Amino acid sequence: MRATLVALIPFIVAATAAVGPSPSEGNDSKPSVSELQDKYPDSDIACCKNTEEIKGDGILGNLLAKGALNNLLGVGDSACAKTSLIENLNILGFTEKGSEGVSCTGTPAYCPHGEEMRGRDAAGSRTAIFVYDKIEVTDVAMLYDAQIFPKLDGDSKDAAWNPPLGAKSIRQVCETQEKPEQLLSKMLAATLHGWDVVVAAELEKWKVPGLAVSVVHNGDSWSKAYGVAELPDKPLTTDSLFMACSTTKAFTAAATALVIQDTKSSEAPLKWDTPVSSVIRDDFVLADPHATANTTFEDALSHRTGLPDHFPRIQLAKPRENIRDAVRTLRHLPLAYAPRTTWDYNNHMFITISYALEQKTGEELGLFLKRRIWEPLGMRDTYFNVQQVKKTPGLKDRLVRGYEWVKEQGRHLSQPDINYAPIEGTGAIVSTVLEYEKWIKALLTRSTPMTQEGHDAVFHPRTILSQPVTTIHNNLDCTHLYALGWFVENYQGQQFFWHTGGWPGTSILVGLIPSKNFGFVMMSNTNLGGTFLHKTLYQDLIHRVLGLPIPPPNVKYPQKPKDQETSAEAVRRLFKSVSPDHPPVPLALPLDAFQGTYTHPAYGSLTFKLVEGGNLLHADCTAEENHVLPTSVDLSHVSASFFLADLCESGWRSAYYAAEFHVAASGKPDKLGIGLEPALGEGEYIWFERV
């Protein structure tokens, strides 16, 4: 839980009293913590030991080495911690489990309070009692100042105890007025001291206006926001709203697990291997009948259906297209692989699963997520449609503005928000780092509404990636896997689950290392630079908190954004037959003969007109009410019937594709092919028919 400013009654130790026999005398075993809690019900039980013996893991190991825990656990050569704190941390070597239960590995102590504390206060004899094997010590002369215990007559074991526990350590742990989670929060904040300098440098390096981050470790959390939510000077906060983009996919997988759980005893139970076509038979049709009949929910959620990304289809789509129509366009998109043979990231399949779940449950996916996941986890500031957020008073002013850095212009260019109704389970969530912190905590503790079986299924790897596909992959020299809505890696010997989310002007990264009870979320308001920012920062974060070394750069993959490809470079890449030795072949028809409207049943329509003095064919798809991403499509002649297609997205970055016109027997152009999906292979086009 997040730390709160609630104080406990202070616990105080002082010096006086006498030596008496221990109730455990005659018993060689140490008393268990539960025995001490029963014996001293009005006290806090603490465990004390030499600092050099503390088995600090990750954050605590770093903090102990730096002395950052002196005010929390003690000073000098020794440290004490209340058992409530130890149980919360669950990683210190202060306790051990034996046949009689959990006991202190060092010296157990109790800090009296309540009725016992008040009675001692009234008598002017405020005392802490320490139990060490067979001796119960109430005489700790000069406790505040002494760094050793006095020699106890007849107890050579205690006399040989070297170095002894520092009295100041015991006094400090008893006097603390903070709850365990408050101490934990201070520990996490202490280990991230100095991180601000790193973040500031990286924000400037990658030209990212703002970053919000939350870190979870052993149940504790820490969050902070840097930079601006909107240029020039609107501050970013930890409750600023970001489009969470593809990190929505993890929630869609979780929703599927819940529906599987809900329908287990029904007449038509949903299973991971249920064919999608059996739920939405008339609507789900792929280009291949075998793929249609055999593509399962598991296939769709793990990107192994054989359907490649076809992202320009979303880019050029109508914003208000309904989700059923979006699913029905899949029959017009060519497959690139046989089913279950190749991983290829695909947003369309998560749209399809969103629609299938809605048909199965009779409830909109956003409402289902709110009722079954967000509300149970206390995620009351999470939403499912950025366009609705923009219309809602109290929310629209918290929405972050997205930007991309245009190097050639030396400025940030504002980017449009997602405006595509069917986006749903592939990228519709709008949320904050504080909200995602709750999601991360629930995943780490397996306390989501999913059953344990459902949780295992979602995180179980389903397919292998043939090669790295994102910036986050670049330095991870391991086999790359994908589960259901989660990438799975080996990070320095630890299983690492993560997922990115991206849109022009937005970059999100969520990561989990369950074995270390560690997770984080980063949200920034630029995409291209944001992905490299997140890669640098998450590795530095893991190093600081868990002590894991930062992987060395992998020179095989880019360590910074690629410069914008020029049109000349694109021609050389796409048209290898065109060279100084093979001059271009002139067009057989005048360029104006190729003007007109060309349409595709999935990609929509492109209307080309001559511009730039009649030397360029231009299609204007920049009207936001007509297209998801404002895009212009320019066709420049290369050779014979071949053209270079330039899809310029949101006025700042071009993507180049090969294009070719087909001329009918009548001598008129009747088709335009553009290589909008490179996975189909060289020379394979999406064909638009001339109207």
Side-chain angles (χ1 to χ4, degrees), residues 73-92:
L73 300 180
V75 295
D77 294 327
S78 61
C80 295
K82 293 177 190 175
T83 53
S84 56
L85 175 60
I86 294 168
E87 291 167 2
N88 201 312
L89 294 175
N90 198 32
I91 57 174
L92 285 171

Side-chain angles (χ1 to χ4, degrees), residues 34 64 374 382 482 524 601 610 685 688:
S34 61
L64 287 167
W374 301 341
T382 296
Y482 198 86
S524 59
L610 281 179
Y685 299 124
F688 294 75

Side-chain angles (χ1 to χ4, degrees), residues 16 190 218 225 268 316 342 352 433 559 638 641 680:
T16 60
N218 291 311
L316 297 170
T342 305
T352 300
V433 293
Q559 301 300 311
V638 176
S641 59
L680 298 177

Side-chain angles (χ1 to χ4, degrees), residues 196-216:
D196 291 3
V197 176
V198 176
V199 173
E202 294 299 318
L203 287 172
E204 174 59 29
K205 177 179 180 180
W206 302 114
K207 304 300 182 185
V208 178
L211 166 76
V213 59
S214 183
V215 183
V216 175

Side-chain angles (χ1 to χ4, degrees), residues 489-506:
E489 315 288 337
N490 180 313
Y491 188 95
Q492 302 293 35
Q494 306 297 322
Q495 196 169 42
F496 178 38
F497 299 92
W498 62 276
H499 212 286
T500 53
W503 190 259
T506 303

Side-chain angles (χ1 to χ4, degrees), residues 19 98 329 383 595 677:
V19 178
T329 64
Y383 311 96
Q595 294 185 107
E677 180 43 74

Side-chain angles (χ1 to χ4, degrees), residues 364-398:
E364 292 181 5
L365 180 59
L367 296 176
F368 182 92
L369 291 175
K370 181 179 180 180
R371 180 174 61 86
R372 296 297 302 277
I373 298 179
W374 301 341
E375 288 183 347
L377 297 183
M379 297 175 66
R380 297 180 178 86
D381 197 20
T382 296
Y383 311 96
F384 204 60
N385 184 319
V386 69
Q387 296 301 321
Q388 288 299 318
V389 168
K390 292 169 70 173
K391 299 174 184 176
T392 306
L395 297 182
K396 61 182 181 180
D397 292 336
R398 293 168 49 208

Side-chain angles (χ1 to χ4, degrees), residues 22-57:
S22 166
S24 61
E25 189 168 357
N27 184 352
D28 290 336
S29 63
K30 294 180 182 179
S32 68
V33 170
S34 61
E35 288 175 339
L36 292 173
Q37 288 170 337
D38 291 340
K39 179 174 173 58
Y40 307 114
D42 289 327
S43 304
D44 268 4
I45 307 302
C47 293
C48 305
K49 64 187 302 180
N50 297 325
T51 305
E52 62 185 20
E53 298 174 352
I54 297 174
K55 300 172 183 176
D57 184 1

